[in-house]
Amino acid sequence: HPGSIDLNAVNPYEGLDPRFALTVVKNGDEWPSNGSQKKVIETFAGGFNASPKYGATPTGYYLKKYVDGAAVTTADNQVTRRHTWIIFRLGEFYLDYAEAVYNATGDANDKTYGMSANEAINVLRKRADVNMPEFTENGAEWVERYERERLVELAFENHRFWDVRRWKKADKYFKEVVVADINANKQLSRTTVKRQWDDKNYLFPIPQTEIDKNKSLEQNP
């Protein structure tokens, strides 16, 4: 939410969903995790890992997900660790299933297809490195919580662009975004930024060449 926090006096990261720490590197973290490169990350203005350095984060955070912190990346140390490129993650299967089952049955606890929507999501939330409270909601409350769960679980995996358009909720999620900035005195400020959105962006235009081939096609609005 908008407002300022004094990072010298308050730790706003206590008690968060564990997936925050699994997803991003924040100011003060030791990263990477290998001994030869481990250092305290400074993302406040003027810090070692911050502006005005070229390519520095404008948000105060760096991505940790899919990055192997144990790998040494200096030029004089060849990396021999194998890296895995994730094409389709198991977590996405469970979330996709939950959304499909809920929309098919209208009930987050319906077991018509063997596993209810809530049971599928709770498989993710009960795993050892997350272990968050289970889903028990239904109806509109379930939809709202599911959309946030998908945002958190699949963060930086290139789903949000498509999810919000599929739900046709860009007016809720895309017209305003909250951005963070950490100044040299370690004051974290959150502000709301207005973004432009037009509902025509829900659909791609059909190429004229395709309409010429099939006269039954009508252009998207």
Side-chain angles (χ1 to χ4, degrees):
H1 300 289
S4 297
I5 300 172
D6 182 355
L7 297 182
N8 298 296
V10 179
N11 181 5
Y13 306 109
E14 286 183 337
L16 296 184
D17 186 314
R19 286 171 291 187
F20 176 86
L22 294 171
T23 302
V24 298
V25 180
K26 68 180 187 304
N27 183 71
D29 282 352
E30 289 190 344
W31 184 257
S33 56
N34 66 72
S36 64
Q37 291 180 284
K38 184 185 293 186
K39 69 183 299 295
V40 176
I41 298 297
E42 298 178 350
T43 57
F44 55 86
F48 185 82
N49 309 101
S51 59
K53 283 190 174 181
Y54 176 77
T57 174
T59 65
Y61 303 95
Y62 283 102
L63 185 62
K64 182 186 289 185
K65 181 179 280 190
Y66 291 160
V67 178
D68 185 351
V72 179
T73 57
T74 53
D76 57 347
N77 286 280
Q78 296 297 314
V79 176
T80 57
R81 297 172 64 90
R82 296 181 68 88
H83 291 256
T84 302
W85 182 259
I86 308 299
I87 296 176
F88 210 129
R89 195 157 66 79
L90 182 59
E92 185 186 347
F93 277 101
Y94 281 111
L95 289 169
D96 287 357
Y97 172 86
E99 185 173 340
V101 166
Y102 177 80
N103 282 293
T105 66
D107 186 342
N109 296 308
D110 189 296
K111 297 185 179 182
T112 298
Y113 298 96
M115 176 184 281
S116 72
N118 277 339
E119 286 175 333
I121 293 175
N122 290 334
V123 170
L124 296 179
R125 293 180 66 83
K126 288 191 294 186
R127 67 186 190 271
D129 58 350
V130 175
N131 197 27
M132 291 289 285
E134 295 187 356
F135 265 51
T136 58
E137 290 81 0
N138 218 330
E141 290 183 353
W142 185 89
V143 172
E144 183 173 356
R145 193 176 179 195
Y146 168 80
E147 289 174 1
R148 176 158 182 80
E149 182 69 10
R150 194 171 177 91
L151 168 68
V152 173
E153 178 65 34
L154 301 178
F156 301 102
E157 297 182 38
N158 297 322
H159 292 282
R160 189 68 172 173
F161 176 94
W162 305 105
D163 289 345
V164 172
R165 284 162 174 76
R166 182 174 72 257
W167 302 327
K168 287 187 167 58
K169 292 186 177 180
D171 58 332
K172 176 180 179 181
Y173 292 120
F174 284 175
K175 283 191 172 181
E176 291 185 350
V177 295
V178 177
V179 298
D181 177 72
I182 305 174
N183 67 22
N185 295 321
K186 296 186 181 179
Q187 305 296 308
L188 187 153
S189 299
R190 296 193 183 107
T191 55
T192 300
V193 176
K194 300 287 185 180
R195 298 293 191 192
Q196 185 176 355
W197 173 261
D198 191 309
D199 285 352
K200 70 181 182 181
N201 294 324
Y202 283 129
L203 302 172
F204 284 112
I206 300 173
Q208 185 61 44
T209 54
E210 298 305 310
I211 295 176
D212 291 342
K213 294 174 187 175
N214 184 353
K215 299 302 181 182
S216 298
L217 283 177
E218 295 182 2
Q219 185 57 269
N220 284 328

